[in-house]
Amino acid sequence: MSHLQQSFAVRFTYNVFFTEKLFKSTNPLLADFFTQQSSELRKKILFVIDSGVADAHPDLLTDIKAYFAQLTDRVELVPELIVIPGGEISKNDPALVEQLVDAVDRHGVDRHSYIVAVGGGSVLDMVGYAAAISHRGIRHIRIPTTVLSQNDSGVGVKNSVNYRGKKNFLGTFVPPVAVFNDRDFLITLDDRDWRAGISEAIKVALIKDSLFFEWIERNAEALAARDMETMDYLIHRCAEMHLEHIAGGDPFEMGSSRPLDFGHWSAHKLEQLTNFELRHGEAVAIGIAMDCLYSQQLGWLTDADTNRVLKTLRTLGFSLYQPMLDADESKGVLKGLAEFREHLGGQLTIMLLQGIGKGVEVHEIDAAKVRWSIATLKEQEPTAESQLV
Amino acid sequence: MSHLQQSFAVRFTYNVFFTEKLFKSTNPLLADFFTQQSSELRKKILFVIDSGVADAHPDLLTDIKAYFAQLTDRVELVPELIVIPGGEISKNDPALVEQLVDAVDRHGVDRHSYIVAVGGGSVLDMVGYAAAISHRGIRHIRIPTTVLSQNDSGVGVKNSVNYRGKKNFLGTFVPPVAVFNDRDFLITLDDRDWRAGISEAIKVALIKDSLFFEWIERNAEALAARDMETMDYLIHRCAEMHLEHIAGGDPFEMGSSRPLDFGHWSAHKLEQLTNFELRHGEAVAIGIAMDCLYSQQLGWLTDADTNRVLKTLRTLGFSLYQPMLDADESKGVLKGLAEFREHLGGQLTIMLLQGIGKGVEVHEIDAAKVRWSIATLKEQEPTAESQLV
Ligand SMILES: NC(=O)c1ccc[n+]([C@@H]2O[C@H](COP(=O)([O-])OP(=O)(O)OC[C@H]3O[C@@H](n4cnc5c(N)ncnc54)[C@H](O)[C@@H]3O)[C@@H](O)[C@H]2O)c1
Ligand SMILES: NC(=O)c1ccc[n+]([C@@H]2O[C@H](COP(=O)([O-])OP(=O)(O)OC[C@H]3O[C@@H](n4cnc5c(N)ncnc54)[C@H](O)[C@@H]3O)[C@@H](O)[C@H]2O)c1
Ligand SMILES: [Zn+2]
Ligand SMILES: [Zn+2]
């Protein structure tokens, strides 16, 4: 008996650009990117676009074609721009993944070509997955169009689709080759999607950076009023913190620790229980509230700090109670704990707070304390009446 | 406009063990492996087994169950051992991937659990793919049972399935967490599979290590006579060279260079043209012969060295001509060049020889020279008659 030991490291490098009017001929960013991808060969580029974005930006497809018409020396745009349904639905339908794989085949998109996804986190997750498995991985460019995808999902290394209703059951860890955050897309978001992504910034601030939380607290009203400069800073700082977290830790999540999943164990279950009626970011806002109240019961978060978090979330316009929280326990939110552990694997590991800006992991969750948090949120929820006042 | 730069490296480490009687209670290797995977939690283990192996080793399933019955403190064997059809057919059927994903779901196999594949390169490729996409990657253990998978495919970082007849169209780069090469499996291989894997050793020797080629040349008769000690050395050295190549270069093949694909451009096409009647290793033997003859025409490989290679391949029992080589050119082996480039992406990059042990890349292939190589192989092929002499 003998053995050989294998050990190697693979380096991944990519830029996240912040820009506006990405596809106007006056914006050189994309053109420069392809120029710098030195190569003797013209690369193909396959675009996949979120229908919600295409609808809200009727000139988008024309703009993309015009932009690439100027770059024919460097890259070859696949003339068929593929538009797929936006939102979680895109992750639920295996036929969409197949449609993309077929397009890769039909258009001869090889591993040194590019698949570009333009859309919200759902479409990016799905297209990223199709790109990752085709030819063992085609270069993938993300153009996130929601707050959530610009500050969190779009800058990270994960992709996935749902399988038989199980959230993110299939997926891979594969970084993009570039991310282009164009602020102009955000203008057409509806209020729910504008707001939803802010909860991921609150999440990362609460576990890592009290100054950033204080900034969000001070600017909650401006954010709720859709002030664009304020949003610019929020997205930039939040994206930066996500990037640093990924690079500094365990990028492909081989261990059990997943600090960025603060507030997420109940959120994932709530999304499913509401049939994805609740947006991911809306569910995360509730999950954050729950885990703050849980931390308060442990004596880890002061009453004052707990209230600051709840108040900030409410100022932003989040509802912090959802009737499904009270669903029969056999299928309710507490069942999400087991599913969360199973999906992540290893020991149950839940992030809580020992103060604002200081996340701490625990490996046990007490059902009674969860129930108390739910009851508190229910009690505090403004009734329809008082909301009218 | 501004940007953030992301850069991180991910390290992958695993051992390739050489052993025998892996599932006998007297062999501590697997037990020790699971003991060393320190964890507070018992991990689940899902076995997926090549039907060809299960048929040839009727005690295998019982042995596996008995072995893990002793380890219940550390690991929990999923009681359903899944047997799937062996051979290329396992990569052609999407229902098999789905069957495995469903088993992951049904048995609650999480990301810190293990999926173990026991079988030839085809089954390992397919199971590795299912493991890689489930929960964004479940830990994968390979137990290769053919010469080819023990010395090449099983020790590497690639997995894949075919898609609509296109070889390896879907797949990922994900290393295993351990590989266990058990020599006893090789005893039941039929002669074709015993022989087929040897061509990968000749391939790696020809491009990197003339001494290893000379060793194979000297030992070709012993290998053809199925001498086990000789095979042990061949597999060990070939696995070692593959591991070194992967670690030393571009493990996830982000560039265009793929030296280990020497002899493979025509091989992949031949496999497809013969409806996978030809084994991968048998096709590679023909591909090596073709590219040696091509190198000879360039004046890069001496006549004497070219003949040494062809003679070694023939002593091992390989046929170096296949009627499909002469297929109508519109769908023949030359078409494989374009498909090869498309699958790998980037510039056409083909490895040739500038001497035994010295691979050199070219970016153009001349059709006339390919045709001459084919004609030569056809002419030299012993007829059925002369083989009977
Ligand atoms: N991969 C990761 O690391 C990660 C991290 C967090 C969340 N996610 C996933 O992201 C998804 C949520 O993404 P999301 O919050 O961006 O929502 P979303 O992608 O589901 O989009 C919500 C809606 O907004 C529309 N839309 C998108 N951009 C628009 C625009 N500019 N103008 C008008 N409408 C637009 C879409 O068509 C859709 O109807 C979830 O599936 C979640 O699991 C992934
Ligand atoms: N992932 C990689 O890096 C890589 C590299 C090279 C080849 N491959 C792939 O590997 C596959 C070929 O693998 P292979 O040559 O091992 O053949 P195989 O897996 O197709 O198996 C050939 C036959 O042998 C049977 N078999 C397997 N083990 C046996 C045993 N111990 N006793 C009796 N029968 C046994 C199988 O059931 C099958 O019928 C191809 O699909 C090829 O593309 C992958
Ligand atoms: Zn989230
Ligand atoms: Zn091979």
Side-chain angles (χ1 to χ4, degrees):
Chain A
M1 284 189 228
S2 67
H3 78 272
L4 296 168
Q5 205 201 352
Q6 176 67 307
S7 181
F8 59 84
V10 179
R11 179 158 290 279
F12 299 93
T13 306
Y14 58 96
N15 286 327
V16 177
F17 298 96
F18 298 85
T19 188
E20 53 194 326
K21 306 198 182 0
L22 182 63
F23 297 114
K24 292 294 171 209
S25 59
T26 46
N27 188 328
L29 211 49
L30 264 176
D32 290 351
F33 173 82
F34 287 110
T35 306
Q36 278 149 29
Q37 303 284 302
S38 69
S39 163
E40 334 66 44
L41 285 184
R42 266 188 351 146
K43 307 297 178 63
K44 287 189 184 159
I45 307 200
L46 177 68
F47 265 82
V48 187
I49 300 164
D50 183 318
S51 64
V53 182
D55 291 347
H57 299 262
D59 295 337
L60 181 63
L61 277 68
T62 327
D63 287 352
I64 292 172
K65 287 186 179 173
Y67 194 91
F68 283 93
Q70 301 176 309
L71 303 184
T72 46
D73 53 328
R74 273 152 284 176
V75 287
E76 177 189 341
L77 181 69
V78 172
E80 177 195 7
L81 307 186
I82 301 177
V83 177
I84 56 168
E88 193 70 31
I89 198 179
S90 65
K91 293 172 67 172
N92 282 327
D93 183 358
L96 289 174
V97 173
E98 206 163 311
Q99 182 191 339
L100 297 191
V101 172
D102 284 338
V104 165
D105 184 15
R106 199 167 60 251
H107 297 295
V109 176
D110 66 35
R111 287 209 305 121
H112 294 250
S113 295
Y114 298 86
I115 296 186
V116 184
V118 184
S122 301
V123 165
L124 299 189
D125 272 6
M126 187 284 249
V127 179
Y129 176 66
I133 61 173
S134 297
H135 292 306
R136 299 202 185 100
I138 294 174
R139 293 177 185 188
H140 178 46
I141 293 176
R142 300 204 195 114
I143 303 184
T145 61
T146 60
V147 173
L148 183 132
S149 54
Q150 290 196 357
N151 73 11
D152 179 346
S153 85
V155 306
V157 297
K158 296 192 268 186
N159 56 59
S160 58
V161 294
N162 308 331
Y163 181 75
R164 309 212 167 148
K166 301 236 167 175
K167 179 90 177 169
N168 298 338
F169 199 88
L170 299 179
T172 62
F173 289 92
V174 178
V177 298
V179 181
F180 296 89
N181 275 343
D182 179 341
R183 74 204 291 258
D184 290 329
F185 282 117
L186 308 181
I187 295 168
T188 57
L189 285 176
D190 71 33
D191 284 344
R192 286 182 67 184
D193 288 307
W194 170 277
R195 181 187 304 121
I198 301 174
S199 60
E200 301 282 8
I202 296 179
K203 167 201 80 179
V204 74
L206 286 175
I207 59 174
K208 292 185 179 245
D209 182 352
S210 61
L211 291 179
F212 186 35
F213 177 76
E214 284 161 24
W215 180 91
I216 299 174
E217 188 179 27
R218 276 198 311 280
N219 288 280
E221 284 177 15
L223 288 166
R226 300 190 67 145
D227 180 72
M228 194 51 105
E229 314 276 284
T230 313
M231 185 56 96
D232 283 346
Y233 177 79
L234 178 112
I235 286 176
H236 193 282
R237 176 66 186 137
C238 181
E240 182 176 49
M241 290 186 71
H242 275 95
L243 289 170
E244 281 168 4
H245 175 83
I246 291 166
D250 173 18
F252 289 1
E253 299 178 4
M254 294 170 182
S256 293
S257 172
R258 306 233 309 202
L260 290 184
D261 276 341
F262 172 61
H264 276 59
W265 71 265
S266 49
H268 284 159
K269 190 70 194 172
L270 266 180
E271 284 183 83
Q272 192 203 42
L273 286 173
T274 62
N275 251 322
F276 299 102
E277 174 26 43
L278 216 55
R279 298 280 204 275
H280 177 75
E282 293 171 335
V284 169
I286 297 175
I288 290 173
M290 290 207 6
D291 290 349
C292 284
L293 287 165
Y294 194 104
S295 305
Q296 181 191 20
Q297 291 172 77
L298 294 177
W300 289 2
L301 198 62
T302 65
D303 296 357
D305 282 347
T306 307
N307 288 331
R308 286 170 64 200
V309 178
L310 300 188
K311 180 155 181 266
T312 301
L313 290 167
R314 291 200 180 100
T315 304
L316 286 163
F318 286 109
S319 276
L320 301 183
Y321 175 75
Q322 216 290 334
M324 273 300 167
L325 283 171
D326 277 326
D328 176 353
E329 273 192 19
S330 66
K331 58 177 199 303
V333 92
L334 274 167
K335 245 206 124 200
L337 268 183
E339 284 172 22
F340 188 74
R341 194 202 64 73
E342 206 159 273
H343 180 57
L344 305 190
Q347 206 183 357
L348 177 70
T349 303
I350 297 285
M351 187 61 110
L352 294 173
L353 300 184
Q354 280 195 346
I356 284 175
K358 182 148 189 281
V360 169
E361 288 180 338
V362 300
H363 302 289
E364 254 173 69
I365 288 289
D366 169 37
K369 291 198 179 60
V370 173
R371 278 186 221 107
W372 184 86
S373 305
I374 294 175
T376 306
L377 289 174
K378 185 173 186 179
E379 200 183 287
Q380 294 183 357
E381 183 72 359
T383 60
E385 252 174 309
S386 64
Q387 276 179 315
L388 288 175
V389 176
Chain B
M1 283 188 230
S2 67
H3 77 271
L4 296 168
Q5 205 202 351
Q6 177 67 308
S7 182
F8 58 84
V10 179
R11 179 158 290 278
F12 299 92
T13 306
Y14 58 96
N15 286 327
V16 177
F17 298 95
F18 298 86
T19 188
E20 53 194 326
K21 306 198 182 1
L22 181 63
F23 296 114
K24 291 297 172 208
S25 58
T26 45
N27 188 328
L29 211 51
L30 265 175
D32 289 351
F33 173 81
F34 287 110
T35 306
Q36 278 150 29
Q37 301 284 302
S38 70
S39 162
E40 334 66 44
L41 286 183
R42 266 189 349 149
K43 309 296 178 60
K44 287 188 184 158
I45 307 200
L46 177 68
F47 264 83
V48 187
I49 300 164
D50 183 317
S51 63
V53 182
D55 290 347
H57 299 262
D59 294 337
L60 180 63
L61 277 69
T62 327
D63 287 352
I64 292 173
K65 287 186 181 175
Y67 193 91
F68 283 93
Q70 301 176 308
L71 303 184
T72 48
D73 53 328
R74 273 153 284 177
V75 288
E76 177 189 340
L77 181 69
V78 171
E80 178 195 4
L81 307 187
I82 300 176
V83 177
I84 57 169
E88 194 70 30
I89 196 178
S90 66
K91 293 173 67 171
N92 281 327
D93 183 358
L96 289 175
V97 173
E98 206 163 311
Q99 181 190 341
L100 297 191
V101 171
D102 284 339
V104 164
D105 184 14
R106 200 166 59 252
H107 297 295
V109 176
D110 66 35
R111 289 213 298 120
H112 293 249
S113 296
Y114 298 86
I115 297 186
V116 185
V118 184
S122 301
V123 165
L124 299 189
D125 271 6
M126 187 284 248
V127 179
Y129 176 66
I133 61 174
S134 298
H135 293 305
R136 298 202 185 99
I138 294 174
R139 295 178 184 186
H140 178 46
I141 293 175
R142 300 202 196 115
I143 304 183
T145 61
T146 60
V147 172
L148 183 132
S149 55
Q150 290 196 357
N151 74 10
D152 178 348
S153 85
V155 306
V157 299
K158 297 192 265 183
N159 56 59
S160 58
V161 293
N162 308 331
Y163 181 73
R164 308 209 169 152
K166 300 235 171 175
K167 180 90 177 167
N168 298 338
F169 199 87
L170 298 179
T172 62
F173 290 92
V174 178
V177 297
V179 180
F180 296 89
N181 275 343
D182 179 341
R183 73 203 293 257
D184 289 330
F185 282 118
L186 308 181
I187 295 167
T188 57
L189 286 175
D190 71 34
D191 284 345
R192 287 182 66 184
D193 289 307
W194 170 278
R195 180 187 305 120
I198 301 172
S199 60
E200 301 283 8
I202 294 177
K203 166 200 80 180
V204 75
L206 285 175
I207 60 174
K208 292 186 180 246
D209 182 352
S210 61
L211 290 181
F212 186 35
F213 176 76
E214 284 162 24
W215 180 91
I216 299 174
E217 189 179 29
R218 275 199 311 278
N219 288 279
E221 283 179 16
L223 287 167
R226 299 190 66 147
D227 180 71
M228 193 51 101
E229 312 276 284
T230 313
M231 184 56 95
D232 282 346
Y233 177 78
L234 178 113
I235 287 176
H236 194 282
R237 176 67 187 137
C238 181
E240 181 176 50
M241 290 187 72
H242 276 95
L243 290 169
E244 280 167 4
H245 176 81
I246 291 167
D250 173 17
F252 289 1
E253 298 177 5
M254 294 170 181
S256 294
S257 171
R258 305 230 312 196
L260 289 185
D261 276 341
F262 172 62
H264 277 59
W265 71 266
S266 49
H268 283 160
K269 191 67 194 172
L270 266 182
E271 282 182 83
Q272 193 203 40
L273 287 173
T274 61
N275 253 320
F276 299 102
E277 171 29 40
L278 216 55
R279 298 280 202 277
H280 177 74
E282 291 171 336
V284 170
I286 297 175
I288 291 172
M290 288 204 13
D291 290 350
C292 284
L293 287 166
Y294 194 105
S295 305
Q296 181 191 20
Q297 290 173 77
L298 294 177
W300 289 2
L301 198 62
T302 63
D303 297 356
D305 282 345
T306 306
N307 287 332
R308 285 170 64 199
V309 178
L310 301 188
K311 177 154 183 264
T312 301
L313 289 167
R314 292 199 179 103
T315 303
L316 286 163
F318 286 109
S319 275
L320 301 183
Y321 175 75
Q322 216 290 334
M324 274 298 164
L325 283 170
D326 276 324
D328 176 356
E329 271 192 22
S330 67
K331 57 178 200 305
V333 92
L334 273 168
K335 245 206 124 201
L337 267 184
E339 283 172 22
F340 188 74
R341 193 202 64 74
E342 207 159 274
H343 180 59
L344 306 190
Q347 204 183 358
L348 176 69
T349 304
I350 297 284
M351 187 61 110
L352 293 173
L353 299 186
Q354 280 196 345
I356 284 176
K358 184 148 188 285
V360 169
E361 287 181 338
V362 300
H363 301 290
E364 255 173 69
I365 288 289
D366 170 37
K369 290 199 179 62
V370 173
R371 276 185 224 109
W372 184 86
S373 304
I374 293 176
T376 307
L377 288 174
K378 184 173 184 178
E379 200 183 287
Q380 293 184 356
E381 183 72 358
T383 60
E385 250 173 310
S386 65
Q387 277 178 315
L388 286 177
V389 178

